[in-house]
Amino acid sequence: MSADPVTGVRLVLAVHGRQQSSVDPDYVVHLAEELTRSYGTAGLVELYARFATGDGFVDSFMRKTIWRSLARACGDGLQVGSGAGFKHPETFEIGNGVFIGAQAYIQGRFDGTCRIGNNVWIGPQAYFDARDLVLEDHVGWGPGAKVLGSSHTAMPVDMPIIRTDLEIKPVRIGAWADIGTNATILPGVTVGKGAIVGAGAVVVDDVAPFSVVAGIPAKFLRWRTDQDSSGPNSEC
């Protein structure tokens, strides 16, 4: 599409957001099952290191297949970028058509919850403290954006903070929400359906559905409307 002659702004069709989720061939499902039987969790993690950083077809194919083998549940059409990593993937529940960008990292917990809905796009270098995390369907997650799902109590004060108890709070990102580049979502926050979180924002309180917030700490800017031309900023 041609650019606006005054502003230079150009509108183009979204890529990931408009894709129809493909169904994985049977051989992908069977290979994932066989890898699980043959290697077990520890062996699969070790095997993953052999394919973690390559950009070719085989590396990409093996990354998605090993994630599928390790996850508690995984849908079709998963894409996993170079250098993407994980901890406790056995707690992950991944929907259909999910994209995980290069060098993204998802840190689960052995007794935790990490659910990623259908058609979610996660940008490069994103970080998730995914001890109690839910991303609902069609979420756009900007490059470098982060979830902090836990923090130390810092009590008692006569003890090093890193030795104090860890308090885990649920983080929920509603369907259709868009989280901007380098934004940070703090423990216990819920971002409502269709909300936009601006780039670099630090979100300390819940975000209302279909609202726009930005800043440090993030503040309400306005409600989204049908005339809203700002668009999502997660580049999905």
Side-chain angles (χ1 to χ4, degrees):
M1 301 180 185
S2 59
D4 185 289
V6 176
T7 64
V9 173
R10 206 162 49 108
L11 290 179
V12 299
L13 293 177
V15 179
H16 177 81
R18 289 178 175 265
Q19 287 179 345
Q20 296 296 316
S21 297
S22 59
V23 177
D24 287 339
D26 288 343
Y27 67 81
V28 174
V29 179
H30 295 155
L31 177 58
E33 293 171 349
E34 184 58 37
L35 288 173
T36 301
R37 283 193 295 266
S38 300
Y39 285 88
T41 300
L44 283 171
V45 172
E46 183 177 351
L47 180 65
Y48 183 76
R50 295 170 54 183
F51 304 100
T53 59
D55 291 317
F57 170 79
V58 173
D59 294 302
S60 178
F61 173 79
M62 289 302 295
R63 281 196 296 271
K64 69 172 281 183
T65 306
I66 292 171
W67 277 65
R68 183 169 190 141
S69 299
L70 286 167
R72 178 182 294 165
C74 184
D76 294 324
L78 175 65
Q79 299 177 67
V80 181
S82 173
F86 51 74
K87 186 173 184 180
H88 291 298
E90 71 277 8
T91 64
F92 298 175
E93 299 173 44
I94 303 171
N96 295 316
V98 171
F99 174 90
I100 299 173
Q103 300 178 32
Y105 193 85
I106 304 177
Q107 179 176 332
R109 179 181 158 89
F110 68 93
D111 60 353
T113 296
C114 175
R115 293 204 299 271
I116 301 174
N118 298 319
N119 202 228
V120 169
W121 187 93
I122 295 172
Q125 300 182 336
Y127 172 77
F128 297 89
D129 177 352
R131 302 165 207 251
D132 191 346
L133 173 68
V134 175
L135 306 183
E136 295 184 357
D137 295 346
H138 304 283
V139 167
W141 195 271
K146 301 170 181 67
V147 162
L148 303 181
S150 59
S151 60
H152 290 276
T153 63
M155 297 297 290
V157 295
D158 60 349
M159 180 184 293
I161 293 172
I162 60 172
R163 295 185 60 186
T164 63
D165 292 342
L166 199 65
E167 186 175 42
I168 297 170
K169 295 182 180 180
V171 174
R172 301 291 183 260
I173 310 298
W176 307 2
D178 190 84
I179 310 300
T181 299
N182 289 325
T184 301
I185 311 298
L186 294 189
V189 165
T190 293
V191 176
K193 178 179 180 179
I196 294 176
V197 174
V202 176
V203 184
V204 300
D205 296 309
D206 291 352
V207 177
F210 296 99
S211 66
V212 180
V213 302
I216 303 175
K219 300 293 185 182
F220 173 84
L221 297 182
R222 58 186 171 83
W223 297 106
R224 291 180 59 199
T225 69
D226 287 341
Q227 288 74 41
D228 186 355
S229 61
S230 63
N233 49 32
S234 65
E235 302 180 9
C236 56

